[in-house]
Amino acid sequence: MTTRTLHLLCSAAPPVFDIAHVIEDAQTRGWDVCLGLTPTAAHWLSGSLDGLAALTGHPVRWQYKFPGQPDLWPAADAVLFAPATFNTVNAWALGLTSNLVIGLAAEATGKRLPVIAMPCTNTALAAHPQFEVSLNTLRTAGVELLHGETGYTPDPVDPDAPLNFPWPTALNALSQVSAQA
């Protein structure tokens, strides 16, 4: 099995706490995983960042590098953005790259790399009119969205955590990317 590089990008939503298991699962499927986090997700996982870097063999990134610094990760063969919060989906669709992972996702979209995203939001935010506009913008740009019946169905308002975030669905979608290469 040939190892391919996955840029796994995550927003601050409760499924991010399962990320070590997701990384291990992706690795068993032949992916060399590089983990990128929104600043808030990095804060949430601050006690685990060294362990996650050891698990992936790459530094966990959440900030842009300084000009002139070398890239710390190998180039991506595919990108998985999950969980992708309401804020992340809207910022990405609008091209607002104020944080690293949205910038990486926007670049990957522009390069026409295989990009898969699984939004994670509640029903109230999913009902906001901009959310559907943003999903359509990303679909039109070639992003495979695992949302609703094809992925994550928004949970009721104000749960402590999503009731069922289907990480296996996201990883299976990556397997399809590998099969098509």
Side-chain angles (χ1 to χ4, degrees):
M1 178 182 337
T2 302
T3 301
R4 302 185 66 206
T5 300
L6 171 66
H7 287 186
L8 175 57
L9 310 177
C10 305
S11 300
V16 78
F17 291 112
D18 297 326
I19 206 62
H21 298 295
V22 175
I23 291 167
E24 290 169 340
D25 194 357
Q27 290 170 330
T28 64
R29 295 170 186 239
W31 292 98
D32 176 24
V33 181
C34 300
L35 178 62
L37 304 169
T38 62
T40 302
H43 176 70
W44 286 9
L45 297 176
S46 61
S48 303
L49 296 177
D50 290 340
L52 291 167
L55 179 62
T56 64
H58 302 284
V60 177
R61 295 188 57 202
W62 65 91
Q63 296 175 345
Y64 283 106
K65 65 182 182 70
F66 288 110
Q69 286 183 323
D71 285 333
L72 300 173
W73 292 350
D77 293 301
V79 173
L80 172 60
F81 207 139
T85 61
F86 174 81
N87 184 60
T88 294
V89 167
N90 289 321
W92 180 10
L94 292 169
L96 304 175
T97 59
S98 61
N99 73 52
L100 172 71
V101 294
I102 295 173
L104 291 172
E107 283 187 356
T109 305
K111 291 177 181 177
R112 301 287 186 219
L113 290 174
V115 179
I116 300 166
M118 189 174 306
C120 181
T121 188
N122 63 39
T123 54
L125 291 173
H128 189 285
Q130 182 59 48
F131 190 65
E132 191 60 38
V133 170
S134 294
L135 292 176
N136 287 333
T137 297
L138 294 174
R139 276 189 201 101
T140 301
V143 175
E144 181 179 350
L145 290 167
L146 305 174
H147 179 68
E149 292 179 16
T150 64
Y152 176 74
T153 302
D155 285 318
V157 177
D158 296 328
D160 287 337
L163 302 175
N164 179 26
F165 195 76
W167 282 113
T169 300
L171 294 171
N172 290 339
L174 281 173
S175 296
Q176 293 296 322
V177 167
S178 290
Q180 295 170 1

